[in-house]
Amino acid sequence: MSETILKNEERVALSLRALYRKYGYLPYKMSKFEPYDLYSSNKEFLVGDGVITFNDADGKLLALKPDVTLSIIKNAGEENRKVYYHENVYRKSGATKEFKELMQVGLERIGEKDVYALYETTYLAAASLKEISDNFVLNVSHLGVLSAVLAAASENKAFGKAAIALLAQKNLHEITALCNAYGVDETAAVHLKTLVKTYGDMPSTLEKLAPLCQNGQAKEAFEELKAVCALLSKSELAEHIRLDFSVAGNMKYYNGLVFKGFVGGVPESVLSGGQYDKLMQRMGRKTSAIGFAVYLDLLEGLCEPKRDYDVDLLVLYDDNTPPAKIAAAVQKGASEGKSVSAQKETGKLRFVTLVDLTGGRTND
Amino acid sequence: MINVALPKGRLGEKVYATFEKAGFECPSIKEVNRKLVFENAEKGVRYFWVKPSDVSIYVERGAADIGVCGKDILAEYEPNVYELLDLKTGVCRMAVAARKEFFDDRNSTLKVATKFVNIAKNYYAQKGREIDVIHLNGSIELAPILGLSDVIVDIVETGATLKENDLEVVETIMPISARLIANKASFQFKTKEIEKLVASVSALAEQEKI
């Protein structure tokens, strides 16, 4: 009759922290507030568009943190850092568009970029999903490939913005119309449409992608993606990792690898991240950085058995019951690992077993 | 099993007929009763009828794996879903309409009556035109006639209602038709089933232009 005290999201948070520690990441703790400036100058990096602000005692405008990454970058110097965090953030929830306190666990790796660093972060993203459920998919994309294909189609910024939005929707019919409207040449349009249609396991998708990445930036990005995929393919999580160019991310901040993770039973992505060198540059840092966040609030209720009672044991007593008898009954139940509530009236409490100590009854 | 949200009404019935022809039939859907959910386990589909404007909500929230809804709903609510197919049915356009004698005086704020607040706001923001949006839920055509608004932003199919009320289309905002949408997470776990359905429906839609 014992119950699991930890909620699913709390259990996952603990196991993720242990996982990240195992790979040499150190805990990072931040304050609840940051100067609003930090967020207002990088608004588009934030998920959602709301920040709760208030004035400090000296009139300075502060914000309840809507994000952790920006704070980590702000406080990191130029040295290499590998940190993980477990923080509450405050922002509008996707579905309700209302402010919520959301629990988030994630990691950031700041420092020189190399294939191993990219592989390890992507692998840990997949391993994080595995901690949540065996039924998961990690979609990986490379913005280097994407931006090269887009640039070959058109340098027009409005075209790029519209094309990325359509890629994120796997919207082939409107990409075709967009290419026609902007007079994109046939080869470039075919390449862009191929990106929409190209998704799936790593080996077959790389094969389809190769003809699109014959030279320049596209080739360089493709080779990097291929090298990371070669390592990921050897891992035990390979069958859950797919390439999918509908994972786009904001190109003002992200470059290189980007990914999104899904677990069965949750209708939206529970993990999101990527390489954000451009954000680092915007914040005056020369180093490379990659990281991801797991949105634990989305895991609420996932795989948790629904309970139809409040406590295992109800100890009912009245004014004539000796307090020592009540204490003994409660302690006996608790020592057996049961949840116990002692009260004078049943009220609306739902229980499994009743221990009735009213009217001089005993529990002996 | 793929859960499919279909819009109640003529469009939904037309779309179901296409799904049926494409090999995803569910005979019980044609029985006259008050049931809301219809399943064909053998074909691996479960259909349910919902209000057209709610289809994207069912799909975005994962209650339905895929659904069919108008581009107007997608443009207005911008749900985070995949838009996999243009079914090329339910074709119409989102347009700005006004009384025949209307002249757009850019010195004053343009009063716009509409059901589609976000579409109107985005459209005029792109044009740099200041507007006052009046959110109405129906009989939009009445607004300019009674002087409630200067123009309306609404769906125009044949233009007959506009004509009967001495209104005319001033600008077209975007073409509208029915789209097949999918939940992004469902797509990851039911990729093959959804791809198969999309390919069959797409081939048929292309062949018949529905």
Side-chain angles (χ1 to χ4, degrees), chain A residues 28 33-35 38 68-77 81 110 280 283 285:
Chain A
Y28 178 87
F33 322 129
E34 284 280 4
L38 176 65
V68 183
T69 310
L70 289 170
S71 168
I72 293 178
I73 301 171
K74 191 188 85 172
N75 296 319
R81 281 190 90 174
I110 297 170
M280 295 291 281
M283 293 180 72
R285 302 291 193 277

Side-chain angles (χ1 to χ4, degrees), chain B residues 2-8 12 15 19 46-52 54-59 63-69 179-181:
Chain B
I2 307 180
N3 293 305
V4 188
L6 290 176
K8 271 185 204 163
V15 169
F19 278 48
R46 186 187 291 129
Y47 293 100
F48 39 91
W49 299 111
V50 300
K51 197 175 165 185
D54 288 343
V55 169
S56 66
I57 299 171
Y58 278 81
V59 175
D65 300 313
I66 62 168
V68 172
C69 71
R179 309 294 164 97
L180 195 151
I181 58 173

Side-chain angles (χ1 to χ4, degrees), chain A residues 13-304:
Chain A
L14 285 179
S15 55
L16 291 182
R17 283 158 61 179
L19 172 71
Y20 305 151
R21 245 184 201 284
K22 210 158 69 180
Y23 280 81
Y25 289 78
L26 298 175
Y28 178 87
K29 186 78 194 150
M30 68 177 285
S31 80
K32 274 194 169 57
F33 322 129
E34 284 280 4
Y36 176 63
D37 276 1
L38 176 65
Y39 304 115
S40 63
S41 48
N42 294 292
K43 247 181 174 172
E44 290 166 70
F45 179 73
L46 304 174
V47 180
D49 55 354
V51 180
I52 302 174
T53 57
F54 60 98
N55 286 316
D56 201 0
D58 62 0
K60 201 164 58 182
L61 192 59
L62 295 180
L64 269 174
K65 60 176 189 283
D67 169 84
V68 183
T69 310
L70 289 170
S71 168
I72 293 178
I73 301 171
K74 191 188 85 172
N75 296 319
E78 293 291 345
E79 77 275 16
N80 292 354
R81 281 190 90 174
K82 283 170 65 180
V83 295
Y84 72 86
Y85 59 84
H86 178 190
E87 295 279 349
N88 284 334
V89 295
Y90 305 85
R91 62 172 171 239
K92 282 183 191 167
S93 152
T96 62
K97 314 278 186 223
E98 286 172 355
F99 279 108
K100 273 195 162 183
E101 184 180 51
L102 308 169
M103 204 204 292
Q104 194 171 300
V105 174
L107 63 80
E108 311 292 345
R109 184 186 183 114
I110 297 170
E112 286 303 306
K113 182 186 79 168
D114 55 51
V115 169
Y116 177 76
L118 296 177
Y119 153 74
E120 185 187 273
T121 316
T122 315
Y123 172 79
L124 283 175
S128 301
L129 295 168
K130 169 89 176 152
E131 290 291 338
I132 300 167
S133 164
D134 287 337
N135 187 21
F136 73 90
V137 170
L138 181 73
N139 279 345
V140 181
S141 157
H142 197 298
L143 293 187
V145 174
L146 189 54
S147 57
V149 172
L150 282 177
S154 170
E155 295 287 353
N156 186 306
K157 277 191 179 168
F159 171 85
K161 201 175 165 193
I164 288 171
L166 295 173
L167 262 163
Q169 298 169 5
K170 292 193 186 294
N171 191 334
L172 189 62
H173 44 280
E174 286 188 17
I175 285 259
T176 309
L178 186 74
C179 288
N180 292 340
Y182 278 83
V184 173
D185 82 60
E186 210 182 317
T187 315
V190 168
H191 284 182
L192 190 53
K193 285 186 252 178
T194 308
L195 273 195
V196 183
K197 292 185 277 187
T198 306
Y199 54 86
D201 64 83
M202 291 184 278
S204 70
T205 312
L206 283 171
E207 206 179 306
K208 286 181 209 155
L209 206 57
L212 276 62
C213 309
Q214 295 296 331
N215 39 43
Q217 189 202 340
K219 187 167 191 221
E220 204 180 300
F222 177 75
E223 290 303 329
E224 184 176 88
L225 180 63
K226 205 168 131 185
V228 173
C229 287
L231 290 171
L232 289 170
S233 298
K234 287 180 191 147
S235 82
E236 75 286 5
L237 305 176
E239 59 172 310
H240 297 274
I241 302 171
R242 298 180 192 162
L243 295 181
D244 189 320
F245 285 86
S246 69
V247 182
N250 191 324
M251 291 213 208
K252 260 189 188 170
Y253 305 98
Y254 288 100
N255 59 305
L257 284 183
V258 284
F259 33 80
K260 271 196 190 301
F262 298 88
V263 293
V266 181
E268 52 192 302
S269 64
V270 299
L271 181 148
S272 176
Q275 190 185 337
Y276 51 88
D277 299 354
K278 286 188 183 169
L279 174 63
M280 295 291 281
Q281 284 159 18
R282 285 172 73 103
M283 293 180 72
R285 302 291 193 277
K286 289 183 194 123
T287 47
S288 176
I290 183 168
F292 62 82
V294 182
Y295 309 119
L296 293 177
D297 56 297
L298 298 175
L299 309 182
E300 202 177 319
L302 180 72
C303 306
E304 272 178 28

Side-chain angles (χ1 to χ4, degrees), chain B residues 9 18 21 34 37 47 103 113 115 124 145 167 184 190:
Chain B
T18 310
K21 270 190 194 168
R34 286 172 182 254
V37 181
Y47 293 100
F103 171 74
K115 253 197 277 193
Y124 283 106
I145 297 169
L167 302 172
K184 288 191 172 180
K190 298 181 181 179

